[in-house]
Amino acid sequence: MSHVLHKSDLPELIALEDKPNDESIKVDDGGKGNAHFTDEHHLVLHKDGKVDDITTLYDPCKFKEILENYSKPIDPDHLFECLPSNLRPSRDGEGSGLEKADYSVPTSIPPMVLPLLHGLAQQMVKAGHQQQLIKTYRDNRRAVLEQSLHKLGVERFSKDDVHKMKWDILGAKIKNWIHYMRISVKLLFAMEKKICNQIMDGVEPLRDQSFAEITTVCFDMLLSFGYAIAISRSPDKQFVMIDMYEIMRELQPEFELLFGSKPCTEMKEDALNLTKLLAQTVQETIADFEDAVEMDTTETAVIDGSVHPLTSYVVTYVKYLFDYKSTLRLLFQELDSAKDPDTELKSAITGIMRALRNNLDGKSRQCEDAALTQLFLMNNMYYIVRNFKRTEEARNWLGDDWDQTYGRIVQQHAQRYQTISCNKHLQCIRVQSSGSSSIEDENITKTFVEDKFNTFNSQFEELHQRQCQWIVPDIELRESLRLAIAEIILPPYKSFLKRFGPIVEDGKNPQKYIRFTPEDLERMLNDFFEGQNLD
C-alpha cells in the first residue's frame, strides 16, 4: 500500500455513523464510506460484514491492530511534494509540479481513522491501560518514523565514521543532512506532533511523553552527525558548518513549538547547544585561519612571479565570508551580544588580509632575482585588487580607501620592478665622463661604441630569455607593464643608435654590433610575461 493514503486505500475498517431509523448501515456506491462519529452508537464495519460497537473496543489489541494497519512510512517523493517549490529537488531539468510557497504537513494515518484511534485510546485510559497504550503507540509510531527517515536516506554514523570520511563524500552528506533536518523537523516531526495531539487529546501527560519517546531516537541520530561535524575546526568544513548553523537557526521556532513540553526539554536543549557549538567552531576556525595564513610554509617555488596558490585560496575564502555576512552577524552576536558583530567581522577579515600580505612578503624573499621579487608581489596584490574591486562588501569590511591603498602598493612594486630590470641596460647606452658630464662625440672611439653595443646586446638577450618565462596573468596589467618598459628602454636606445650607430656602420660587420633595431626590441618586449618554457 502506498504511503499516500486515500479513502480508497482503507482495507479493513470503515466506521460509520448509525443514523436513527435506518435499517442498515449505509455505504457509498464503491462499498467504502467516509467515517462519521457521534457520541453514541459508534459502529465499525469489517469486510466480512461484522459490526462492532466502539465502546467494546478498548482492548489494547484492537488499538494496536488498527494503528498498525493504517500507520505507513512516507515515501520521499511525497515528502518533497510537501516542501515549498524552491526547496524541492528537480529531476532532469523538469519542474517540480505546482508552485507552492509554504510547507504542508503530510499524513501517514488517514484523517478519518484518527477519531476512532482517539476513542480507543480514551477507553484504554479509562480501563487503566495507560502504560500499554503508551508502549503500543510509541513502538508503532517510532518504527514508522524511522522507516520514513530510512527511505529518505538518513543514516546513522558514529563520530569515527564521520572523521574517517573523505571530504568529497562528507561534503555531500552534510548537504543531505541539512535537507534531512528541514524535512524531519518541519514535516515528519510536525506530523507526529499533530497525530499525537489528535489521538492523545485529553490526556496531555501521555501525549507529551509519547511524542518525546517517538522522536527522541531519530532526533538524536540527526544531531549526533551535526555534533561530529561541529567539533572539527577546519577551513574546508567552515562554510558547510555555516550552512548547518543557518538551518539550525531557521528551525529554532519549530524546536520551541515541537519540543516545548517538559518531556522534550532535553531535545530542545541539545538542538540549541548544537547551534551554539556550530557558531563557536566557526568563529574559532576564522581565528585559526588567520594564524594559518600568517604561518603558511607552502613550498611552492616562486619561479615565474605568478599568483601564489595561497593568495587565490585566501581571496576565495574572504569572498565566501562576504557572501555569508548576514549569517556571520547572527553568529557573532549569538556568542557575545555585548559586542558589535560588524566590528568583530571587520576585525577578522582585515586580520586575514594582513596575515596574507605578511606571508607574501616572506615568500617573495625566496626569489633570487630582485626584479622577480617585485613582479611576484605586484601580481599577488593586483589579484586581490581585481577580485575585490567591484565588491561593495570589500569597502564595508576592508575600509573605504582599501582599493586606493592596495592600488598604491601595486604601483610601488611595478615601479621597483621597472627600475631594477632596466637600470643595468640604461647604463650600457649612456655615455658619460667620470665627471658625469657628457663626452663629446670626437672623444668616443669605435672600440668604445662596439663594447657598448655588445654589452647591451648580451644583457637584453638575457633579460628577454628570463622575462619571457616570467608571467603577468592579468592581460591589462601585462600590457601596461610592457609599455612602461618600452618607454624606459626604447627612447635611450634610439638616441644612442642615432648618435653612435654611424661609427659602427662605417666599419666591418656592423650587424655584429647593431643586432637589434628599435622595432626588433619592441617585438621582443611583446614576448615578456607570457610564461614561456624555453627549455
Side-chain angles (χ1 to χ4, degrees):
M1 179 185 294
S2 171
H3 69 284
V4 184
L5 297 175
H6 303 285
K7 297 172 185 175
S8 59
D9 294 321
L10 303 182
E12 296 184 4
L13 296 173
I14 301 110
L16 301 169
E17 178 181 355
D18 183 18
K19 303 276 187 184
N21 302 322
D22 281 352
E23 295 182 356
S24 64
I25 297 175
K26 301 180 185 293
V27 298
D28 61 24
D29 293 339
K32 294 181 175 64
N34 292 338
H36 304 285
F37 298 94
T38 58
D39 291 336
E40 56 185 4
H41 302 301
H42 291 81
L43 303 179
V44 177
L45 175 65
H46 296 263
K47 277 186 174 180
D48 60 4
K50 179 182 176 183
V51 178
D52 288 331
D53 191 313
I54 194 171
T55 58
T56 68
L57 297 180
Y58 62 86
D59 182 348
C61 293
K62 288 291 185 181
F63 179 83
K64 181 179 180 181
E65 178 185 352
I66 296 172
L67 187 65
E68 288 178 348
N69 284 342
Y70 292 103
S71 292
K72 305 298 177 185
I74 308 221
D75 287 335
D77 286 345
H78 183 51
L79 289 172
F80 299 151
E81 291 171 2
C82 296
L83 294 170
S85 301
N86 64 315
L87 294 176
R88 299 177 193 170
S90 59
R91 295 179 177 176
D92 302 326
E94 297 179 359
S96 53
L98 297 176
E99 291 296 314
K100 187 164 69 76
D102 299 322
Y103 293 85
S104 55
V105 178
T107 301
S108 69
I109 298 179
M112 63 190 69
V113 177
L114 292 172
L116 173 59
L117 290 171
H118 170 64
L120 290 171
Q122 294 280 6
Q123 294 296 330
M124 290 179 68
V125 171
K126 290 178 182 178
H129 295 162
Q130 293 96 325
Q131 293 306 313
Q132 197 162 1
L133 169 65
I134 289 178
K135 184 179 184 306
T136 299
Y137 182 73
R138 176 200 64 206
D139 292 349
N140 175 270
R141 293 308 304 171
R142 184 162 65 191
V144 170
L145 179 60
E146 289 175 350
Q147 290 173 40
S148 296
L149 289 173
H150 179 72
K151 282 174 170 279
L152 186 61
V154 176
E155 303 172 87
R156 183 182 295 277
F157 296 107
S158 67
K159 291 180 181 178
D160 288 340
D161 293 334
V162 172
H163 294 156
K164 291 176 182 177
M165 284 183 191
K166 293 183 178 179
W167 170 238
D168 55 341
I169 297 174
L170 183 59
K173 291 192 179 298
I174 292 173
K175 291 180 180 178
N176 288 339
W177 179 86
I178 292 169
H179 295 304
Y180 297 157
M181 282 296 297
R182 181 180 285 114
I183 290 173
S184 297
V185 174
K186 287 182 175 283
L187 299 181
L188 291 173
F189 292 175
M191 176 189 71
E192 291 302 330
K193 186 76 168 180
K194 184 177 179 181
I195 292 173
C196 196
N197 286 347
Q198 290 179 278
I199 293 178
M200 299 294 184
D201 184 36
V203 283
E204 278 68 20
L206 299 184
R207 179 194 67 190
D208 296 338
Q209 182 182 348
S210 297
F211 175 73
E213 293 183 6
I214 289 167
T215 54
T216 186
V217 173
C218 293
F219 194 53
D220 179 68
M221 180 171 62
L222 289 164
L223 291 189
S224 64
F225 180 84
Y227 273 104
I229 300 298
I231 60 176
S232 175
R233 285 162 58 173
S234 165
D236 293 335
K237 299 184 180 71
Q238 176 180 326
F239 294 103
V240 290
M241 275 197 278
I242 298 177
D243 292 333
M244 293 170 68
Y245 174 79
E246 284 182 341
I247 189 61
M248 295 301 291
R249 287 277 306 196
E250 176 188 325
L251 295 175
Q252 279 191 9
E254 280 76 15
F255 296 150
E256 295 291 341
L257 181 65
L258 295 173
F259 306 139
S261 64
K262 187 174 181 180
C264 296
T265 299
E266 186 174 348
M267 283 192 287
K268 183 173 75 172
E269 289 179 350
D270 286 344
L272 297 178
N273 288 338
L274 175 57
T275 306
K276 189 167 185 178
L277 179 59
L278 286 166
Q280 183 177 348
T281 302
V282 168
Q283 186 187 49
E284 291 173 351
T285 304
I286 292 175
D288 290 346
F289 186 75
E290 178 183 339
D291 294 337
V293 171
E294 183 91 43
M295 303 301 294
D296 178 76
T297 56
T298 305
E299 294 184 1
T300 301
V302 182
I303 58 175
D304 60 3
S306 187
V307 175
H308 196 278
L310 177 66
T311 304
S312 57
Y313 183 66
V314 171
V315 167
T316 300
Y317 180 91
V318 171
K319 289 172 77 172
Y320 271 117
L321 293 181
F322 292 162
D323 292 340
Y324 281 97
K325 60 183 181 300
S326 298
T327 303
L328 288 169
R329 285 190 183 106
L330 295 174
L331 187 148
F332 279 106
Q333 196 165 29
E334 177 160 340
L335 294 172
D336 192 343
S337 58
K339 294 182 179 179
D340 178 23
D342 283 357
T343 302
E344 292 291 296
L345 184 55
K346 183 175 181 179
S347 175
I349 293 175
T350 54
I352 290 170
M353 297 308 298
R354 182 172 55 251
L356 175 60
R357 287 181 56 187
N358 292 341
N359 190 280
L360 290 174
D361 284 341
K363 284 180 168 49
S364 71
R365 299 188 189 101
Q366 300 173 10
C367 304
E368 295 181 0
D369 191 307
L372 182 60
T373 295
Q374 299 304 319
L375 192 75
F376 170 76
L377 292 171
M378 178 199 71
N379 278 328
N380 281 269
M381 297 306 295
Y382 189 80
Y383 180 86
I384 296 170
V385 172
R386 188 187 65 187
N387 275 273
F388 290 160
K389 191 171 185 178
R390 294 179 178 85
T391 305
E392 183 63 28
E393 283 81 2
R395 188 177 299 276
N396 295 334
W397 305 116
L398 297 177
D400 292 336
D401 60 347
W402 80 270
D403 50 346
Q404 297 176 7
T405 301
Y406 277 70
R408 283 194 298 269
I409 295 172
V410 172
Q411 288 298 322
Q412 288 170 3
H413 291 305
Q415 289 168 2
R416 289 170 187 166
Y417 159 79
Q418 294 165 28
T419 300
I420 296 170
S421 292
C422 301
N423 265 356
K424 186 165 58 173
H425 304 82
L426 292 178
Q427 293 298 326
C428 299
I429 51 180
R430 283 178 182 159
V431 182
Q432 294 179 325
S433 66
S434 58
S436 296
S437 60
S438 296
I439 300 176
E440 298 299 327
D441 289 1
E442 57 269 19
N443 296 326
I444 300 295
T445 65
K446 181 181 177 183
T447 302
F448 178 83
V449 173
E450 288 174 346
D451 288 342
K452 285 287 185 180
F453 272 112
N454 279 335
T455 303
F456 177 85
N457 293 338
S458 62
Q459 288 185 355
F460 188 80
E461 285 177 337
E462 179 188 350
L463 178 72
H464 176 264
Q465 182 178 18
R466 185 169 63 251
Q467 301 211 15
C468 283
Q469 299 177 66
W470 296 356
I471 190 168
V472 176
D474 184 81
I475 297 175
E476 182 179 346
L477 182 60
R478 182 166 65 238
E479 291 300 324
S480 66
L481 199 58
R482 286 172 178 167
L483 181 60
I485 296 173
E487 290 175 347
I488 294 173
I489 292 179
L490 289 180
Y493 183 77
K494 288 178 181 179
S495 177
F496 185 84
L497 183 63
K498 181 179 179 181
R499 182 179 176 187
F500 299 110
I503 298 176
V504 177
E505 290 170 350
D506 290 342
K508 294 181 180 180
N509 300 321
Q511 66 275 10
K512 177 181 177 181
Y513 305 103
I514 305 177
R515 295 179 55 187
F516 304 113
T517 67
E519 291 74 24
D520 291 333
L521 295 181
E522 188 171 5
R523 176 181 51 79
M524 295 173 72
L525 287 172
N526 286 331
D527 295 332
F528 281 24
F529 317 127
E530 292 286 353
Q532 299 176 12
N533 187 349
L534 302 180
D535 293 339

